[in-house]
Amino acid sequence: MGALLNQKYEKLFSLLDINGDGVIAEDDFELMANRVLTAANEERTAKGQKYADAMMNYWRALRETADADGDGRIDQEEFREALGRVSVNFDTLVGPLYQAGFQLADRDDDGLVGKQEFVTVLAAIGVPAAEAGATFDGLTEQSGQLSKEQFMTASAQYYRNEDPADNASHLLFGAL
């Protein structure tokens, strides 16, 4: 694994470690889901439940892959190693969470997300709003709308792409 993937995985780990204790655990994923659902005003909707379920499925996939000692906690090194394995099966293990997140942001269900909706969800995850806005502009080339296909491609590439020239894929969660 190259330096760029390591940076991306460190960034993602820092966002998922909601309570800042240096490990990620089930409670971090529950807290993250609740923050995102509150920001999107989807706490009690079918979309919201789908997102919460996808978040917990992502946690279970990571735990099964990385938690060798069975303590229910994953440190940064375990996380890095797990993401390398989980990303191979992105479409089935990780992709559903990103699809559910996109659907939360797609307020009118037209298959497109505007900048404000995108920023709202990423800010709830912990990405500074200015960085989330810059990410949106990079992904859409300032077209004003992000398609599900664009978002899913960038999401998959975040886990796999080591090309430093491809800003859209490695800045998905803000500056590294």
Side-chain angles (χ1 to χ4, degrees):
M1 178 182 321
L4 182 57
L5 274 182
N6 277 329
Q7 284 182 295
K8 291 192 283 189
Y9 291 179
E10 286 173 18
K11 173 74 171 198
L12 186 53
F13 183 89
S14 72
L15 293 170
L16 291 171
D17 182 14
I18 300 293
N19 61 15
D21 65 356
V23 295
I24 55 175
E26 186 171 358
D27 62 328
D28 290 303
F29 286 78
E30 290 169 349
L31 288 167
M32 175 71 74
N34 288 333
R35 282 188 359 190
V36 171
L37 293 176
T38 298
N41 199 27
E42 295 282 354
E43 299 98 321
R44 292 172 174 66
T45 67
K47 273 186 184 183
Q49 188 59 52
K50 185 173 182 178
Y51 179 80
D53 291 346
M55 180 65 83
M56 297 316 295
N57 286 338
Y58 181 51
W59 160 246
R60 285 188 285 279
L62 286 173
R63 186 188 67 221
E64 290 171 12
T65 303
D67 188 16
D69 61 5
D71 68 352
R73 300 160 41 105
I74 299 172
D75 65 26
Q76 195 164 0
E77 185 57 36
E78 289 173 319
F79 181 74
R80 185 179 302 116
E81 290 174 18
L83 283 190
R85 291 190 297 270
V86 168
S87 68
V88 172
N89 296 315
F90 179 87
D91 293 338
T92 57
L93 296 177
V94 183
L97 172 61
Y98 288 86
Q99 289 174 13
F102 184 89
Q103 289 173 335
L104 278 181
D106 183 7
R107 304 296 295 161
D108 60 4
D109 297 320
D110 67 352
L112 298 170
V113 170
K115 188 172 187 174
Q116 186 55 51
E117 293 84 7
F118 182 84
V119 170
T120 296
V121 172
L122 259 63
I125 292 170
V127 177
E131 291 180 24
T135 296
F136 181 87
D137 291 342
L139 291 174
T140 63
E141 298 173 358
Q142 299 190 10
S143 71
Q145 297 290 312
L146 178 65
S147 71
K148 186 176 180 181
E149 181 180 316
Q150 287 170 305
F151 180 69
M152 293 306 296
T153 297
S155 299
Q157 292 304 311
Y158 187 86
Y159 285 78
R160 299 175 179 148
N161 190 337
E162 296 201 66
D163 181 0
D166 188 3
N167 285 337
S169 79
H170 67 265
L171 297 178
L172 184 61
F173 295 109
L176 297 176

